[in-house]
Amino acid sequence: MIVILSILISIIVVLVLITLHELGHFIVAKLSKAYVFEFAIGFGPKLFVIKRKETWYSIRLIPLGGYVSIASDFAEPPKGREEEFEKIPDARKIDYAIKWKKTLFILFGPLINLFVAYILIFSVMFGVGYMPSDPNFYGQNFSTNSIAYKMIAEKEGIKPEEGNKYVSNHLKVAITGWNVQLVDKTQKDIKDWEFTVSKKESAPTYKEISAMFNHGKKEVYEYITKNNLDDQTIVKFQFEYLKLDNLYSGNLFLDKEKASDWATLEGTPISNWKKAKQITGIAIAPPDRYFKNGGQKLGYTFVETWNQSFSLLVGIGKFFTGDFSAISGPVGIAKSSIGTTTTATTSMTASRIFYVSSISANLFMLNMLPFPPLDGYKFWETLVEWVTKKEVSQKTKTIIYATGAILLISFIVVISIKDFII
């Protein structure tokens, strides 16, 4: 039920963003006095239509896109509007539009998506006052159930928060090391490990801290399973950390590492780990990125908008080098939307807004790819025609667009099948 609901919500989100995209094209077309036959939301048979003197506004059966139909000598007019087309002057057809107007018409759709992404990110930055769950920032957030949180709070003389939730890094620390001891009931040492992040002048980022724990958890778990250890084995943890000067930079309060006291894990940790098939209980999450002032927030809004847009190119690159989970289609987007309700974060609302902004930013970058029949290809095609003053033949355009559309649809189908399987 949750999956179905998430798919519906994701379809609505994508549909709204695509509608805004097409609205960008529509606005420029109207301002340019082009003759717009139809503004359609979705594809396929009409479900609902409002007929105006010139432009029809329709909602169609397949809610995975939309389009703006503009009069052109190189495209058939909508069925039933042939006589109307014969009366349209050339000046109002897209073929005869001034190149800069045609270029603006092409670009304004993707730019609307970019603008929406920016506004959403801006609203989070200045609404909640910080960027939630930023893995590129310093330190980490904690679950209130985290053994690391409890041990470090005890060492710092700070009362840990209660409940079952994730809290911001009010301890102002960045974990730099994790020490593990396995001993038998006679306190004889069985095995011990010291995992650390690379030392540098500033605090480690969450990505570095997470990589250390992931490596360590894998090594410890493999040792436990390989040697068939059970709950007769005593497990001890210790955490090393640095104190942060503030929560908006990686500056250190002191450059000297501190260490929590050693603590013996209570209960049956090894049985629990074997059941979960991994080491559990550390429970950290990406930290919230705070800002010193409004100028920093504004500047980072641009940075994050670019990062979200560029992530599509990174994902495509990873996909074609073997990381098939790097790109998602409609089904994958729906699955990730489920993640926004369970992700470790201190602000669920902000995380959901970021989820929508990332889709909008990705739609911008997707449409700007120089691949037919996307807007990016049309932009470069128009630019070349503008500079060379030579029009690409309609036959050539038709072949290129049809070939590109087939390849693009095939790629989307492959991605969708992958989303079902993985």
Side-chain angles (χ1 to χ4, degrees):
M1 183 64 185
I2 294 177
V3 174
I4 295 174
L5 182 61
S6 297
I7 291 174
L8 291 175
I9 292 173
S10 297
I11 289 174
I12 292 172
V13 168
V14 172
L15 189 59
V16 169
L17 293 174
I18 291 176
T19 300
L20 291 172
H21 173 100
E22 296 301 332
L23 186 62
H25 293 312
F26 178 77
I27 290 172
V28 174
K30 283 294 189 180
L31 290 175
S32 302
K33 306 297 183 183
Y35 198 96
V36 181
F37 279 120
E38 185 177 353
F39 178 80
I41 300 174
F43 297 109
K46 295 186 184 75
L47 297 178
F48 177 77
V49 60
I50 297 176
K51 298 180 180 180
R52 297 302 185 197
K53 183 178 180 181
E54 176 181 314
T55 305
W56 294 6
Y57 302 87
S58 67
I59 296 177
R60 293 174 174 263
L61 180 63
I62 305 173
L64 295 176
Y67 62 89
V68 178
S69 176
I70 302 177
S72 169
D73 283 338
F74 301 106
E76 293 291 330
K79 188 176 181 180
R81 305 184 72 176
E82 293 83 1
E83 291 185 8
E84 181 183 341
F85 175 73
E86 296 298 329
K87 300 176 184 178
I88 299 173
D90 288 346
R92 299 199 62 191
K93 297 175 181 177
I94 190 66
D95 321 291
Y96 304 97
I98 300 172
K99 290 298 182 183
W100 69 265
K101 286 186 178 181
K102 193 173 180 180
T103 301
L104 190 60
F105 167 77
I106 293 169
L107 292 178
F108 215 68
L111 289 176
I112 286 289
N113 287 133
L114 184 65
F115 179 71
V116 168
Y118 176 82
I119 291 299
L120 291 175
I121 295 170
F122 181 92
S123 69
V124 171
M125 296 294 191
F126 287 86
V128 300
Y130 58 86
M131 176 181 167
S133 304
D134 185 351
N136 296 307
F137 200 55
Y138 308 101
Q140 66 295 299
N141 285 350
F142 294 98
S143 165
T144 50
N145 295 321
S146 166
I147 186 170
Y149 175 61
K150 294 175 181 178
M151 289 173 64
I152 295 173
E154 181 180 2
K155 183 66 177 181
E156 291 297 309
I158 299 174
K159 184 179 178 180
E161 293 192 28
E162 298 178 352
N164 182 19
K165 60 183 179 180
Y166 276 82
V167 294
S168 61
N169 188 13
H170 66 95
L171 301 180
K172 290 186 179 180
V173 300
I175 297 175
T176 58
W178 176 38
N179 302 324
V180 183
Q181 284 186 353
L182 300 179
V183 298
D184 61 22
K185 287 205 168 185
T186 65
Q187 296 299 315
K188 182 180 179 182
D189 193 7
I190 298 176
K191 179 71 174 177
D192 58 277
W193 294 266
E194 293 182 357
F195 304 107
T196 61
V197 297
S198 300
K199 300 295 186 295
K200 56 183 182 179
E201 293 183 1
S202 61
T205 65
Y206 175 79
K207 280 187 175 180
E208 294 170 317
I209 297 169
S210 179
M212 173 195 71
F213 277 121
N214 289 339
H215 168 72
K217 287 190 288 186
K218 181 180 179 182
E219 189 169 321
V220 172
Y221 182 75
E222 286 180 350
Y223 182 87
I224 288 172
T225 53
K226 181 179 179 180
N227 292 276
N228 200 28
L229 300 182
D230 55 26
D231 290 318
Q232 296 297 313
T233 303
I234 298 171
V235 184
K236 296 182 179 181
F237 281 179
Q238 183 188 50
F239 297 95
E240 297 176 356
Y241 60 93
L242 288 166
K243 287 287 290 180
L244 300 176
D245 185 52
N246 53 64
L247 291 178
Y248 54 80
S249 74
N251 295 337
L252 303 175
F253 180 72
L254 292 173
D255 59 2
K256 184 179 179 181
E257 281 185 319
K258 302 179 72 175
S260 69
D261 297 328
W262 282 95
T264 299
L265 303 194
E266 299 178 352
T268 55
I270 292 180
S271 293
N272 294 337
W273 294 344
K274 286 183 176 181
K275 186 176 181 180
K277 296 183 179 181
Q278 62 176 333
I279 305 295
T280 59
I282 294 173
I284 61 171
D288 303 323
R289 181 188 285 265
Y290 287 85
F291 302 91
K292 187 175 183 179
N293 50 50
Q296 280 191 351
K297 291 180 187 177
L298 184 62
Y300 198 77
T301 300
F302 287 102
V303 173
E304 180 61 19
T305 304
W306 167 250
N307 287 342
Q308 289 190 3
S309 302
F310 192 72
S311 66
L312 178 72
L313 299 182
V314 174
I316 293 174
K318 288 182 177 180
F319 181 87
F320 285 104
T321 54
D323 184 1
F324 301 120
S325 63
I327 291 290
S328 296
V331 176
I333 291 174
K335 288 182 178 179
S336 65
S337 72
I338 299 173
T340 62
T341 64
T342 58
T343 301
T345 178
T346 56
S347 177
M348 192 63 67
T349 299
S351 295
R352 287 169 177 165
I353 293 174
F354 263 86
Y355 165 73
V356 177
S357 71
S358 67
I359 295 176
S360 191
N362 279 190
L363 283 174
F364 157 74
M365 187 59 75
L366 173 65
N367 279 281
M368 288 309 297
L369 293 176
F371 190 87
L374 299 174
D375 292 327
Y377 177 83
K378 293 177 182 177
F379 166 75
W380 287 107
E381 179 186 80
T382 302
L383 189 63
V384 169
E385 290 179 342
W386 192 359
V387 172
T388 62
K389 300 187 185 303
K390 293 181 179 180
E391 296 281 339
V392 178
S393 71
Q394 190 58 35
K395 182 179 179 180
T396 301
K397 286 184 179 181
T398 301
I399 294 172
I400 292 174
Y401 285 11
T403 303
I406 291 171
L407 292 174
L408 189 61
I409 292 171
S410 299
F411 181 67
I412 293 173
V413 169
V414 170
I415 294 295
S416 298
I417 293 173
K418 180 271 300 181
D419 289 339
F420 272 112
I421 296 174
I422 297 180

